[in-house]
Amino acid sequence: MTVIVLSGPVGAGKSSLTSILSKYLGTKPFYESVDDNPVLPLFYKDPQKYTYLLQLFFLNTRFHSIKKALSDDNNVLDRSIYEDSLFFHMNADIGRANKLEIQTYDELLDSMMKELDRMPKKHPDLLVHIHVSYETMINRIQKRGRSYEQLTFDPGLEDYYKRMLRYYHQWYEDYDYSPKMVLDGDKYDFMASQSDREEVLAEITAKLKQMGKLPKNWQAGEIARKAIEIGQ
């Protein structure tokens, strides 16, 4: 069983790469609830009011997803519980959570992580982090068109997004739950370019092969080639 978790800021292409990678490896994708998330649009309208509720919603769904993934067969997650604290504490640092909320959140997350430590498979096998610049991030946010994510919806999102990129740098440095690797999301447009997709998939499979973690019975056959060609 091989569990791969993806990470990266808003607009990095995690869901797209999850789809491409899961088809290429013949594994199961786990997608985070975004478009059907009832709290997310409320958060963008009033982050001061809804930060705590949003993070509890995400923490709950990410906890159930990682438990299922660690108990399931081979799979890929487009975001995981390991990133959750980054978002909550980033918002807390700009005054969107009080001391009691911070304490409650930290205690709940700690309890969840201790429960994961009691599972037969305790951690993912590989973290694939997609690094993007602010310019690439904004370009992809604009392309996917969610109104509440746009700078025109709230000019204050510029500072929020730039802060997010800074927090991700330190988060990746500190991450130690599994082996990890970085993809250059500025260099590789794996969503639009077949050659870039091939490069990215080659990097990931080379890392998995080095670790002895390529899914059993996997080979770069017809399904894998179609995943590269389709890319979605």
Side-chain angles (χ1 to χ4, degrees):
M1 182 174 75
T2 302
V3 178
I4 303 171
V5 294
L6 271 63
S7 66
V10 176
K14 296 179 299 299
S15 296
S16 295
L17 185 56
T18 294
S19 177
I20 294 165
L21 187 57
S22 65
K23 289 177 182 178
Y24 185 71
L25 296 175
T27 62
K28 181 179 178 180
F30 283 75
Y31 298 104
E32 184 163 77
S33 173
V34 175
D35 290 331
D36 59 348
N37 182 331
V39 188
L40 195 56
L42 298 175
F43 166 79
Y44 277 96
K45 288 180 181 178
D46 191 346
Q48 192 69 39
K49 181 177 180 180
Y50 288 104
T51 285
Y52 187 61
L53 178 60
L54 177 66
Q55 286 305 142
L56 288 184
F57 181 92
F58 274 134
L59 182 61
N60 183 49
T61 57
R62 288 166 183 164
F63 177 63
H64 289 296
S65 291
I66 194 63
K67 279 188 70 177
K68 191 171 186 341
L70 291 172
S71 303
D72 208 345
D73 206 345
N74 298 312
N75 46 65
V76 185
L77 293 86
D78 70 343
R79 199 191 289 282
S80 67
I81 194 171
Y82 307 103
E83 288 174 84
D84 202 87
S85 182
L86 179 157
F87 284 95
F88 180 75
H89 283 281
M90 180 181 74
N91 278 284
D93 287 346
I94 55 179
R96 294 175 176 174
N98 60 45
K99 289 183 179 180
L100 180 58
E101 289 171 334
I102 295 170
Q103 179 183 350
T104 303
Y105 171 87
D106 286 342
E107 290 176 354
L108 180 58
L109 177 59
D110 183 61
S111 296
M112 289 178 170
M113 299 308 288
K114 286 178 179 176
E115 182 169 339
L116 293 180
D117 280 339
R118 293 193 291 269
M119 295 185 65
K121 185 178 182 72
K122 298 175 174 57
H123 304 298
D125 296 291
L126 177 65
L127 168 75
V128 178
H129 179 67
I130 307 172
H131 171 78
V132 292
S133 65
Y134 176 74
E135 291 74 19
T136 297
M137 178 186 188
I138 293 301
N139 182 49
R140 291 182 180 170
I141 286 172
Q142 290 173 342
K143 281 184 177 179
R144 75 180 179 190
R146 292 178 188 144
S147 60
Y148 54 81
E149 291 180 343
Q150 308 304 318
L151 298 181
T152 52
F153 179 84
D154 177 6
L157 286 172
E158 178 178 354
D159 176 71
Y160 184 78
Y161 289 151
K162 288 180 177 178
R163 180 185 294 264
M164 185 185 299
L165 292 174
R166 294 195 301 271
Y167 275 61
Y168 260 109
H169 176 76
Q170 188 60 52
W171 175 85
Y172 180 79
E173 291 297 315
D174 294 340
Y175 175 88
D176 61 358
Y177 288 100
S178 71
K180 56 189 177 182
M181 63 179 292
V182 177
L183 295 178
D184 187 340
D186 291 344
K187 178 181 178 182
Y188 297 123
D189 186 358
F190 48 81
M191 292 174 277
S193 167
Q194 179 173 329
S195 60
D196 286 357
R197 231 170 1 254
E198 291 174 355
E199 290 280 348
V200 164
L201 291 171
E203 285 189 24
I204 295 172
T205 50
K207 179 70 172 179
L208 291 171
K209 185 176 181 179
Q210 175 192 2
M211 297 163 51
K213 288 294 184 178
L214 271 174
K216 290 182 179 179
N217 303 320
W218 179 84
Q219 56 183 348
E222 186 65 21
I223 293 176
R225 285 194 295 272
K226 286 182 178 179
I228 291 175
E229 292 169 2
I230 297 171
Q232 56 183 356

